[in-house]
Amino acid sequence: MDQIIPLAHEFQVSDVNQIVEDGGADAAHELGSQIGLQHSLQGANTASETLLRFKPNEALPIHSLPTEIFLQVIHHHTLPYLRNNYYRRIITLSMVCSRWYNVIRDSPPLWSRIYASDSLEVVGMALQRSSSHYLDIVLESFELGSQARDDIRTFFATLRPHNDRWRNVEASARFPWMHVVTDAFKGSAPNLERLSVTDQDTVSSSVEVDLFGGAVPQLKHLTLNGVSVRWSSEVVRGLKVIDLSWICFPSANTILDILSHSLQLQRAVIRRCTTGTVAMDSSPSVQLPNLSFLQLDLGRLEKVDWALDRIEVPKPCSFATSFRAGEDIEDFLSHKVLKWISKWKPPAQLPLDGFLLDIDHAEMIVEMSMPDHPEPLSFAIEASGPGWADQFQLTLRRLISEFVSWTKTCTTFRLKLGYAPPQSKDCSTAQFIIQELTRLPPVTSLEISTIGEDSLLDTLIREGNASVFQSVRTLSFSMMGAIDSTRTLEWISSTVRTINDSAAMSSNELNHRQLQRIEVWVPFDVDLSETGVVKATVKDLEAIVGYGKVFIVDDI
């Protein structure tokens, strides 16, 4: 495939900021326009390489694309950079040739993202080139320097004349600077659709602030982390998605009031929150006909129990909560799980498409895929506090008991393993989990989200329990960037060999029992291609499972 070599390819990304500061993208264009030929083609054979060694950029196939399609290509290419040096990438792309420069410069959607981490010159250029397009604004205070307070104030002062163009705002700041952020949200924002405000320090917010004077008629997605607002405000009305965490509510009734004013709510997350009082009265129930996911974590199961009794969801809905050591989790599961999942049951003649069991340290998730249901349904429980290992095993056993009868008709069973839970005083983690897995259908897909010696998978293999994986056909690994890449890939190769050997030994029909697909998910910001580690690993894995069964996937 023909490859475009940027005309200013000798410049490093670090040079782009200087180019912009000295003369903007026009200067970059002047630099790049001096070179008009691409001088190498990838994949050409020896005979054609001489003829095609010098080829005008405009002759490349990408230049024949209509502008609309070309912009879609640019958009998808820049997705991995939305959180990291977005405009450096945009400006670098504009250096390729004059056509790229003109198209990128004159495309307002490409300039609609505004970052507090960029210089005021870049912010000003983006505001100008975005024209009347709606803006997506991102503030991360840890990316700012010692003058963060003044930088935040200046940043929002620059944006205030454009508040009618604010579409999405994502602001995260330390507690000492949070009042500067909330002060910037005083005026109206008539076209704001998504708002996310995070206090990076506060763990129990009760001081209420008034955002935008409630004048946000288009707001549908609201995330507040460690930030309390005036709960009677219009800001918390008419929402479709609400995510509230690290907040101390005046009472549990306040939460019901918030939910009751958003009848079109589709997703509600209230986690790591506390309440002042629980009114054990006959509070009216809240009808949420469109809710598909609910997470409630109010510090004590007693409060979660109270709230669930007053939330009516007529259709299947996923649910998540947590418990602390010493709470009566068995009683809670016996009553609430049965009540909640009773809405899930499909007609007996319809088999489930799939079943997922996800175990990661203190969290357990059961997920069911059902015919004619757009999203999988899940029930998640997380443990916390000292001495919860025994309760963890009790909870897992109870969850499996509730769902085991459903799994008999499953066509696929996915097992996802993360960090290993702590050891119980009565039974080892590996021994207990193997016992529970034998109650379920054979595992057909194994997903590994944590790798290395702390992983649950490694614990199971070390204790000689790899036989539970003998039916696995698809094996995937993620979180590769967490540790040394070379060691990680060596661990993956060793693990694949163990699981594949277990599968091969389970039946005489070796071709039908071995691994059919291996996926290694690599974060986009981990560049291993130049070291050859990935190629070597693919070759090693293919030697184990066969050619064409190994896939390296960008985890964007």
Side-chain angles (χ1 to χ4, degrees):
M1 182 178 69
D2 290 344
Q3 178 186 27
I4 293 179
I5 304 295
L7 301 180
H9 66 277
E10 70 275 13
F11 278 81
Q12 301 298 318
V13 171
S14 58
D15 296 324
V16 176
N17 269 358
Q18 188 62 45
I19 293 174
V20 175
E21 292 174 3
D22 291 344
D26 291 310
H29 168 55
E30 293 301 326
L31 266 169
S33 63
Q34 299 175 19
I35 307 174
L37 295 177
Q38 166 188 277
H39 58 271
S40 67
L41 293 171
Q42 187 178 42
N45 57 37
T46 305
S48 61
E49 188 175 16
T50 302
L51 295 175
L52 299 178
R53 189 171 183 181
F54 297 99
K55 181 177 181 181
N57 266 342
E58 58 267 20
L60 294 174
I62 194 170
H63 289 293
S64 64
L65 292 175
T67 299
E68 294 78 8
I69 297 178
F70 171 73
L71 285 174
Q72 286 296 316
V73 173
I74 295 296
H75 168 71
H76 286 289
H77 171 78
T78 56
L79 286 178
Y81 300 91
L82 293 182
R83 309 294 304 188
N84 184 26
N85 295 324
Y86 173 75
Y87 281 119
R88 288 190 181 187
R89 191 60 189 167
I90 287 291
I91 294 171
T92 300
L93 291 173
S94 71
M95 296 179 185
V96 170
C97 65
S98 59
R99 178 178 184 256
W100 285 39
Y101 169 76
N102 290 325
V103 171
I104 290 174
R105 179 197 59 190
D106 299 331
S107 301
L110 292 178
W111 300 91
S112 63
R113 298 189 64 83
I114 309 297
Y115 299 90
S117 57
D118 286 328
S119 66
L120 289 179
E121 289 79 8
V122 172
V123 170
M125 180 172 63
L127 289 172
Q128 179 185 11
R129 293 186 176 182
S130 59
S131 184
S132 59
H133 204 78
Y134 289 153
L135 302 174
D136 301 327
I137 300 166
V138 179
L139 164 69
E140 294 280 3
S141 67
F142 66 82
E143 297 176 344
L144 304 177
S146 58
Q147 303 297 318
R149 189 191 311 270
D150 293 336
D151 291 343
I152 293 172
R153 186 176 287 111
T154 302
F155 176 68
F156 280 111
T158 304
L159 294 177
R160 191 166 294 118
H162 306 272
N163 65 328
D164 60 329
R165 293 204 284 142
W166 294 11
R167 176 177 58 187
N168 301 325
V169 175
E170 182 179 342
S172 177
R174 300 288 305 275
F175 173 76
W177 310 318
M178 184 49 64
H179 73 280
V180 181
V181 175
T182 55
D183 285 347
F185 299 154
K186 294 297 186 183
S188 64
N191 293 300
L192 186 64
E193 299 174 4
R194 294 172 179 260
L195 174 63
S196 175
V197 187
T198 298
D199 185 326
Q200 298 167 358
D201 299 317
T202 300
V203 297
S204 183
S205 171
S206 59
V207 179
E208 299 180 359
V209 296
D210 191 7
L211 301 180
F212 301 102
V216 281
Q218 303 302 320
L219 187 65
K220 299 302 178 187
H221 294 243
L222 176 65
T223 298
L224 298 175
N225 186 329
V227 177
S228 295
V229 299
R230 184 167 54 85
W231 299 115
S232 60
S233 169
E234 295 292 326
V235 169
V236 289
R237 296 173 182 258
L239 299 171
K240 290 185 177 180
V241 176
I242 188 168
D243 189 334
L244 308 176
S245 57
W246 301 109
I247 294 171
C248 180
F249 294 97
S251 70
N253 281 326
T254 303
I255 297 174
L256 295 183
D257 290 340
I258 294 170
L259 299 179
S260 68
H261 288 106
S262 295
L263 297 182
Q264 299 305 310
L265 205 60
Q266 299 171 4
R267 181 180 178 89
V269 175
I270 302 173
R271 56 188 170 185
R272 299 292 190 267
C273 293
T274 57
T275 62
T277 60
V278 176
M280 296 299 183
D281 55 20
S282 56
S283 300
S285 62
V286 178
Q287 300 285 335
L288 299 174
N290 297 305
L291 196 66
S292 61
F293 180 84
L294 173 64
Q295 179 174 353
L296 282 179
D297 175 8
L298 302 177
R300 299 206 318 266
L301 284 179
E302 172 193 11
K303 297 180 180 181
V304 175
D305 197 346
W306 180 88
L308 283 180
D309 283 341
R310 290 157 178 79
I311 298 175
E312 296 294 333
V313 181
K315 67 177 185 178
C317 176
S318 296
F319 177 73
T321 190
S322 66
F323 69 92
R324 274 68 177 170
E327 293 191 287
D328 192 350
I329 182 63
E330 185 171 18
D331 180 69
F332 178 83
L333 292 175
S334 298
H335 294 88
K336 295 306 174 187
V337 174
L338 289 176
K339 176 183 177 181
W340 198 260
I341 68 175
S342 63
K343 304 180 181 69
W344 296 8
K345 289 186 179 295
Q349 68 273 17
L350 289 180
L352 295 172
D353 292 335
F355 175 79
L356 166 70
L357 176 61
D358 184 346
I359 306 174
D360 188 2
H361 190 53
E363 186 176 27
M364 295 153 282
I365 301 175
V366 172
E367 182 179 282
M368 318 287 281
S369 300
M370 297 186 174
D372 302 323
H373 200 275
E375 296 181 0
L377 294 164
S378 63
F379 196 98
I381 297 285
E382 184 178 10
S384 65
W388 53 263
D390 292 329
Q391 283 182 289
F392 179 89
Q393 294 190 1
L394 175 67
T395 304
L396 181 59
R397 178 178 289 119
R398 184 68 186 181
L399 278 179
I400 291 179
S401 297
E402 298 295 347
F403 287 98
V404 66
S405 61
W406 294 37
T407 64
K408 295 179 180 178
T409 59
C410 285
T411 55
T412 60
F413 174 28
R414 295 161 51 213
L415 179 63
K416 187 173 182 179
L417 302 178
Y419 285 104
Q423 295 286 347
S424 166
K425 63 178 181 294
D426 299 324
C427 179
S428 75
T429 299
Q431 179 184 351
F432 171 78
I433 289 177
I434 294 301
Q435 290 175 352
E436 293 304 308
L437 290 179
T438 58
R439 301 166 59 193
L440 295 168
V443 179
T444 57
S445 177
L446 180 60
E447 302 174 25
I448 310 303
S449 60
T450 302
I451 53 186
E453 296 179 356
D454 294 330
S455 69
L456 179 53
L457 175 64
D458 202 66
T459 300
L460 296 177
I461 291 177
R462 283 202 313 268
E463 297 194 16
N465 293 300
S467 59
V468 73
F469 307 126
Q470 62 188 18
S471 300
V472 171
R473 299 293 171 270
T474 301
L475 178 60
S476 64
F477 300 86
S478 60
M479 298 297 292
M480 269 200 55
I483 61 177
D484 176 75
S485 300
T486 303
R487 289 178 53 202
T488 298
L489 293 171
E490 290 175 351
W491 183 89
I492 288 175
S493 296
S494 175
T495 301
V496 168
R497 184 175 289 103
T498 300
I499 294 177
N500 193 67
D501 290 347
S502 175
M505 293 172 60
S506 66
S507 172
N508 292 327
E509 301 178 26
L510 298 183
N511 291 333
H512 299 283
R513 305 296 292 179
Q514 291 175 317
L515 290 170
Q516 298 299 312
R517 181 182 179 91
I518 298 176
E519 297 176 353
V520 180
W521 291 76
V522 183
F524 77 92
D525 56 349
V526 176
D527 184 8
L528 303 176
S529 58
E530 294 183 359
T531 65
V533 175
V534 167
K535 291 183 178 180
T537 301
V538 170
K539 185 176 181 180
D540 188 20
L541 296 179
E542 287 183 337
I544 301 172
V545 299
Y547 179 77
K549 296 182 179 181
V550 182
F551 301 86
I552 305 297
V553 186
D554 286 333
D555 191 3
I556 298 177

